[in-house]
Amino acid sequence: MFRVRPFEEKDRQQLAAIYRECRTEATWLRTPVMEPDFSRDTEGEVLLVAVGSDDQPEGFVSVWEADRFIHHLYVRAGSRQKGIGTQLLESLRPRLPMPWRLKCVRANDGALAFYLRQGWLEISSGVGEDGPYAVLEKA
């Protein structure tokens, strides 16, 4: 069983490891990830953390609240397909008014399929440094 709680400073090292693991294994990225910087890449964002019964982080979501933009959603490889991503998104409801938006690289098939199953709709698209992407919205 998992629960979602606000980020605590004690989580930083483990969340950085999850972030690094997920970004490094991302075969859909056009350029290899050298050393992703979790602290830099989530600076100024609100973080919510999914933890197991041992209070160890298994995933996180980070959000730019002012724009209602979900910047990162990552789950540890061994904890995927257990509803953690859905739980992290649902945990935003009380604190973040809808609609929410995010950008998903099209080559990230698993993530794109996940969001579409969750009822997200494509509202625009573009091409960035990692290739074509879809801007999705959940209303």
Side-chain angles (χ1 to χ4, degrees), residues 5-6 11 36 40 48 53 65-68 71 73 79 83 85 87 100 111 114 116 123 127 134-135 138:
R5 63 164 171 75
D11 301 325
R40 182 196 66 220
L48 297 174
S53 57
E65 280 188 312
D67 295 334
R68 298 178 297 206
H71 188 204
L73 175 63
S79 296
Q87 197 172 350
W100 305 334
F114 167 78
L116 294 175
I123 59 167
V127 178
V135 176
K138 174 90 174 197

Side-chain angles (χ1 to χ4, degrees), residues 8-109:
E8 297 173 8
E9 191 56 41
K10 69 178 183 174
D11 301 325
R12 185 171 302 280
Q13 187 173 8
Q14 288 184 354
L15 294 184
I18 292 169
Y19 184 59
R20 183 173 45 257
E21 170 189 303
C22 292
R23 298 285 295 174
T24 301
E25 72 180 20
T27 57
W28 46 267
L29 288 173
R30 282 191 168 174
T31 55
V33 174
M34 299 312 279
E35 184 61 32
D37 187 336
F38 171 79
S39 294
R40 182 196 66 220
D41 293 349
T42 60
E43 186 176 350
E45 298 177 4
V46 171
L47 287 137
L48 297 174
V49 182
V51 296
S53 57
D54 58 359
D55 203 43
Q56 297 301 304
E58 298 297 330
F60 70 93
V61 62
S62 71
V63 179
W64 280 101
E65 280 188 312
D67 295 334
R68 298 178 297 206
F69 186 82
I70 296 169
H71 188 204
H72 299 286
L73 175 63
Y74 290 105
V75 176
R76 183 182 307 279
S79 296
R80 294 184 190 140
Q81 303 297 317
K82 297 180 180 178
I84 294 174
T86 300
Q87 197 172 350
L88 283 163
L89 290 173
E90 287 300 314
S91 73
L92 295 173
R93 285 187 185 274
R95 71 175 307 133
L96 192 65
M98 292 178 124
W100 305 334
R101 290 194 177 163
L102 60 82
K103 183 171 83 171
C104 187
V105 175
R106 289 193 184 282
N108 188 352
D109 298 330

